[in-house]
Amino acid sequence: MAADASLGLDQIPVTDLKRVGPKLAERLHKLGIDTVADLLFHLPARYQDRSRLRALADLRDGDEALVEGVVTDAQIAHGRRRSLKVWLRDGQADPAAAGGGGVLLRFFHFSRAQAEGMRPGAHLRCFGQVRQGPQTLEMVHPEVQYQARDASGPRTGNGTAVDAPLTPVYPSTEGLQQISWRSLTDQALALLTAHPEALSDLVPAAIVQPLGLPMLHQAIQTVHRPPADTPVSELVERSHPACLRLAFDEMLAHQLALRRLRRERRHLAAAAFAGDGALRGRLLARLPFRLTDAQQRVVDEIDRDLAGHRPMMRLLQGDVGSGKTVVGALAALQAVECGRQVALMAPTELLADQHRKSLGGWLEPLGIDVAWLSGRHKGAERSAMLGRLASGEAAVVVGTHALFQADVRFAALGLVIIDEQHRFGVHQRMALREKGAGDGHVPHQLIMTATPIPRSLAMAVYADLDLSVIDELPPGRTPITTVVVPDSRRDEVIERVRRACAAGRQAYWVCTLVEESEALQAQAAEDAAADLRERLGDLRIGLVHGRVKAAEREPVMAAFADGHLDLLVATTVIEVGVDVPNASLMIIENPERLGLAQLHQLRGRVGRGQVESYCLLLYHAPLTAAARERLDILRRETSGFAIADADLKMRGAGEVLGTRQAGMAAFRLADPLRDKDLVRAAQRGADAMLDDHAAGGERITALIHRWLGHREDYGHV
Ligand code: ADP
Ligand code: MG
């Protein structure tokens, strides 16, 4: 059946295209691609630059390059695996360079005809990834074209243009080859060229025109099939006007989705907490410290929200140790005073446990019982706890994800506090909210995070939230001195641990591993603990890692907190949750394996007391330039915000936000940090579209669907 473009490309199913049977259609459907328009918005992840030939002498490890040359030698090796090795040289090879300046092609699968074609003297053109082999640069299984020996056309040289263009590489899944993607997008683009009007530009002209960016259909054409003269760097860095146009549309869709959620919230009712603050006054009077100005400011911001009849949705950012917990406790008291319940949720058992203790310490003297619900509670214990929540007897409950479960019901949930927000997604925030909806009231939400992100980025990513920032640490903290040490000096570092502990201090020894495997992490920590126990025989050494059951971990943590252990060997499980002011030394093994944010969080475990604290980053040499730079940032900077800024400059926004963590909306094309002006334009544009009721919500819904449609995060209220 021929596709009928008069319908609009978003009405034409992919099955109308050639060579799309039910099986392929099903695969595409799994990627969220059902129509020709969906295909057009399936954008290349990167490009292969076949637009110019590279001289062999200029190749570097990791390059993906098109090269041309003459075979100087070819051998079939019968080692562990049979392979064909082919040495290629071009006119510019430098005989003095390692490997003669040529490149070695390696094939593990090859036919006799292929081997014949690559005999000495054969003239080849190859495209593939270059990597450093034991002797020389290599290409494993490059694509090979045999050139006629007298081929005219371009010879090897630097930057000589040939007619092969930039080849798009599409994000794909198993069983779908790039060649299929090219064929699919070829067909979709042909329809678009014939009927540009069939792809509706959902962004009003008044919003997009002032930006001076190309029309939507032009941008789509360029990004899928860049003309050969397109500057590659502009495409790779996504700074080409065509990329910017699509990035703008994406950002606009994102803003529309989140700002629409925010507006819809205005129509929801929440209980207004209008107590006189007597309970809170009693807590403040008992605290051994005064709130910092920043804490006080944030408390005021929260109070204004809580006093209103609309549900609060506020993100509280504050560096490790800035004192977010007490701010949460003060908010909780406002709810309790008005007869409402409070749920505080933490991402791990350890952190939930710590919260239960600090909240318990503050609230129980005021006669408020702090309940506790985790995955560990089973059977009768759990039923009893659920009963206390359902009856309203428990005013405050601390827990983990267990609080989400369907059988958890509250009598009058008024406030939800979520700690370490980056591990929870938008849809999870909503699930908890549902739990309070019984009497027509939706609970207020306070989300606390120690992952500081620059304001411009926060506005783009959390456009459905109001933002509060604690930008000040409590007084009396001595800054942490961070030192970067190679592991060849491990002995000295161990000596240092001995001296610190002999002087009555406590220390952490943190083991890291690249592998996600908890088992391997645990093993590394056990090995380190065994080694340290042998070498520091006079110290009391504890060990915690993810494989130690919580029931056994807790006494170890408690012993460390109470000063009955000198040294705690741990994996990154201690990242959140522990607060031991006497611990003033932290060793992090192989810090180069962790992200900056995580290192900063870890380091925040020390520097909580009066004595000067040290963090030793015990790296494994040699470091890459990027790793060295990152450790250096950590050495120089102590503020989480400064570190986040530096981190963002080195990496993309998506990585910093931890896109692989649950539910965080990442961008496909847009980079809100780099495209700050576009963020602002998208925010203005979103508000204009949402205000313009005449324009109708359908266009908005369609635009959101176009860019974010397959995401569960954007469920409706
Ligand atoms: P985070 O923001 O990392 O969650 P916490 O809430 O755990 O920080 O606070 C860290 C420590 O600082 C706790 O021991 C807490 O009691 C203490 N603290 C909080 N606010 C203040 C303050 N204004 N002055 C002194 N200590 C404070
Ligand atoms: Mg905290």
Side-chain angles (χ1 to χ4, degrees):
M1 189 185 11
D4 176 7
S6 66
L7 278 173
L9 299 181
D10 53 355
Q11 302 293 314
I12 305 176
V14 283
T15 45
D16 279 11
L17 299 176
K18 271 181 257 156
R19 292 186 295 278
V20 183
K23 223 172 126 196
L24 179 52
E26 181 54 34
R27 283 214 170 106
L28 292 171
H29 174 74
K30 284 204 178 114
L31 294 170
I33 298 171
D34 297 311
T35 68
V36 169
D38 293 337
L39 262 180
L40 293 172
F41 286 95
H42 187 71
L43 303 169
R46 60 192 184 87
Y47 301 87
Q48 293 176 340
D49 185 5
R50 295 161 200 258
S51 66
R52 61 201 177 96
L53 280 170
R54 300 272 304 274
L56 295 183
D58 293 343
L59 294 182
R60 296 288 170 266
D61 189 16
D63 286 356
E64 201 175 42
L66 183 72
V67 300
E68 202 175 272
V70 177
V71 175
T72 56
D73 195 7
Q75 291 171 11
I76 294 180
H78 297 275
R80 231 169 355 114
R81 265 176 95 188
R82 204 172 80 101
S83 68
L84 171 63
K85 300 204 278 183
V86 177
W87 283 265
L88 196 71
R89 287 266 192 102
D90 62 13
Q92 302 189 356
D94 171 8
V103 67
L104 171 61
L105 316 177
R106 268 185 203 272
F107 302 85
F108 295 101
H109 314 279
F110 52 94
S111 64
R112 178 191 292 253
Q114 279 171 313
E116 291 284 314
M118 291 189 271
R119 281 225 291 249
H123 191 159
L124 309 180
R125 178 177 283 192
C126 304
F127 182 85
Q129 176 128 42
V130 180
R131 59 163 216 205
Q132 184 63 53
Q135 270 99 45
T136 178
L137 290 174
E138 303 184 353
M139 279 183 172
V140 176
H141 277 277
E143 296 168 28
V144 178
Q145 252 181 303
Y146 303 90
Q147 306 284 104
R149 196 161 304 210
D150 58 348
S152 46
R155 288 283 167 193
T156 339
N158 214 350
T160 317
V162 295
D163 47 353
L166 292 165
T167 312
V169 180
Y170 290 93
S172 191
T173 70
E174 214 181 304
L176 248 172
Q177 307 295 325
Q178 287 300 322
I179 193 140
S180 309
W181 282 114
R182 274 174 230 154
S183 148
L184 288 167
T185 46
D186 271 341
Q187 295 181 62
L189 290 165
L191 285 171
L192 180 64
T193 310
H195 310 276
E197 73 293 342
L199 180 72
S200 47
D201 185 341
L202 298 166
V203 185
I207 291 176
V208 76
Q209 255 161 19
L211 301 172
L213 295 171
M215 312 265 281
L216 179 67
H217 65 93
Q218 285 170 345
I220 295 255
Q221 283 283 357
T222 306
V223 167
H224 282 282
R225 296 292 178 272
D229 59 355
T230 314
V232 188
S233 61
E234 286 190 11
L235 283 175
V236 172
E237 288 157 22
R238 304 246 157 98
S239 60
H240 190 280
C243 303
L244 291 179
R245 168 64 214 257
L246 297 175
F248 176 76
D249 284 24
E250 181 183 20
M251 234 159 349
L252 181 64
H254 189 91
Q255 292 292 329
L256 281 168
L258 293 175
R259 292 172 96 84
R260 190 169 65 177
L261 276 181
R262 177 197 280 266
R263 284 176 185 227
E264 280 165 349
R265 215 163 58 228
R266 289 187 199 153
H267 303 291
L268 298 174
F273 302 148
D276 62 3
L279 259 183
R280 172 187 281 186
R282 285 168 57 201
L283 172 60
L284 287 171
R286 292 174 45 93
L287 283 179
F289 51 76
R290 288 176 42 129
L291 296 186
T292 61
D293 289 348
Q295 281 171 318
Q296 187 59 56
R297 190 186 65 237
V298 169
V299 166
D300 293 344
E301 285 166 2
I302 292 171
D303 279 353
R304 275 197 292 279
D305 288 354
L306 293 182
H309 291 276
R310 302 282 159 240
M312 168 171 81
M313 191 65 114
R314 188 167 282 280
L315 178 70
L316 169 54
Q317 290 193 325
D319 214 341
V320 214
S322 62
K324 295 183 290 295
T325 320
V326 72
V327 170
L330 291 168
L333 286 180
Q334 292 299 90
V336 173
E337 193 171 71
C338 296
R340 292 278 163 170
Q341 289 171 294
V342 180
L344 191 157
M345 190 160 60
T348 63
E349 301 254 331
L350 207 62
L351 188 56
D353 191 34
Q354 178 108 29
H355 277 319
R356 181 181 59 125
K357 288 190 182 125
S358 21
L359 282 190
W362 287 328
L363 304 191
E364 273 156 17
L366 308 179
I368 302 164
D369 196 11
V370 177
W372 161 239
L373 189 71
S374 87
R376 275 194 275 144
H377 293 119
K378 301 261 163 12
E381 201 185 1
R382 181 176 155 85
S383 310
M385 190 59 79
L386 294 186
R388 293 176 57 206
L389 293 177
S391 70
E393 185 195 332
V396 178
V397 61
V398 177
T400 57
H401 286 80
L403 289 171
F404 280 128
Q405 281 154 12
D407 58 350
V408 182
R409 292 201 187 80
F410 293 87
L413 183 60
L415 171 65
V416 173
I417 303 174
I418 303 179
D419 200 16
E420 298 307 332
Q421 186 275 339
H422 59 289
R423 307 201 188 195
F424 293 109
V426 174
H427 52 288
Q428 287 168 307
R429 300 209 281 268
M430 294 197 169
L432 247 188
R433 192 167 79 190
E434 299 298 303
K435 298 209 173 283
D439 60 353
H441 283 151
V442 164
H444 296 282
Q445 286 194 57
L446 177 65
I447 297 150
M448 309 198 290
T449 173
T451 311
I453 58 175
R455 195 165 191 103
S456 62
L457 187 54
M459 288 193 329
V461 180
Y462 304 117
D464 63 328
L465 306 176
D466 295 309
L467 200 60
S468 287
V469 181
I470 305 184
D471 50 4
E472 175 185 8
L473 290 182
R477 301 266 167 91
T478 34
I480 305 164
T481 307
T482 301
V483 187
V484 182
V485 195
D487 57 6
S488 55
R489 290 172 55 195
R490 190 183 170 94
D491 289 349
E492 287 168 53
V493 170
I494 291 177
E495 241 350 272
R496 181 131 180 203
V497 172
R498 184 201 304 282
R499 282 203 309 274
C501 294
R505 306 274 102 79
Q506 288 166 283
Y508 297 98
W509 188 290
V510 183
C511 303
T512 62
L513 261 197
V514 220
E515 287 83 356
E516 302 275 294
S517 154
E518 210 173 61
L520 285 171
Q521 286 241 16
Q523 189 58 48
E526 285 184 2
D527 293 348
D531 177 54
L532 291 167
R533 280 189 176 125
E534 192 166 307
R535 300 175 60 171
L536 295 168
D538 42 345
L539 296 190
R540 298 162 299 171
I541 300 177
L543 170 67
V544 290
H545 55 65
R547 285 255 160 147
V548 179
K549 288 204 187 66
E552 294 158 34
R553 196 155 67 198
E554 228 158 89
V556 179
M557 298 298 299
F560 187 69
D562 295 341
H564 301 315
L565 289 174
D566 303 300
L567 176 64
L568 186 66
V569 179
T571 55
T572 50
V573 295
I574 61 153
E575 179 187 345
V576 284
V578 286
D579 187 17
V580 183
N582 189 46
S584 61
L585 176 60
M586 171 170 287
I587 320 297
I588 305 178
E589 274 200 89
N590 302 108
E592 67 275 11
R593 292 168 174 169
L594 299 183
L596 273 179
Q598 203 180 1
L599 285 168
H600 177 65
Q601 296 268 328
L602 274 173
R603 179 172 64 174
R605 300 301 112 207
V606 294
R608 295 179 160 239
Q610 299 302 313
V611 288
E612 177 150 28
S613 290
Y614 294 88
C615 176
L616 307 189
L617 303 174
L618 191 57
Y619 69 88
H620 184 65
L623 286 179
T624 63
R628 176 166 295 280
E629 160 93 42
R630 287 193 307 120
L631 296 186
D632 205 49
I633 290 170
L634 208 69
R635 190 181 56 71
R636 282 197 317 264
E637 304 284 359
T638 51
S639 133
F641 281 95
I643 289 170
D645 253 338
D647 204 10
L648 269 169
K649 287 200 184 94
M650 290 191 65
R651 314 190 289 160
E655 264 187 274
V656 173
L657 295 171
T659 41
R660 275 174 304 157
Q661 314 241 22
M664 171 64 73
F667 296 93
R668 282 199 255 172
L669 267 180
D671 178 345
L673 196 77
R674 194 200 52 205
D675 307 326
K676 282 200 189 86
D677 295 341
L678 285 189
V679 175
R680 274 187 285 275
Q683 279 170 334
R684 279 196 304 273
D687 280 336
M689 285 178 80
L690 288 165
D691 286 339
D692 184 3
H693 296 293
E698 268 166 46
R699 193 179 210 178
I700 292 172
T701 304
L703 192 59
I704 294 172
H705 178 82
R706 176 174 280 179
W707 287 98
L708 316 160
H710 55 288
R711 290 230 178 96
E712 56 179 322
D713 315 20
Y714 294 89
H716 262 269
V717 189

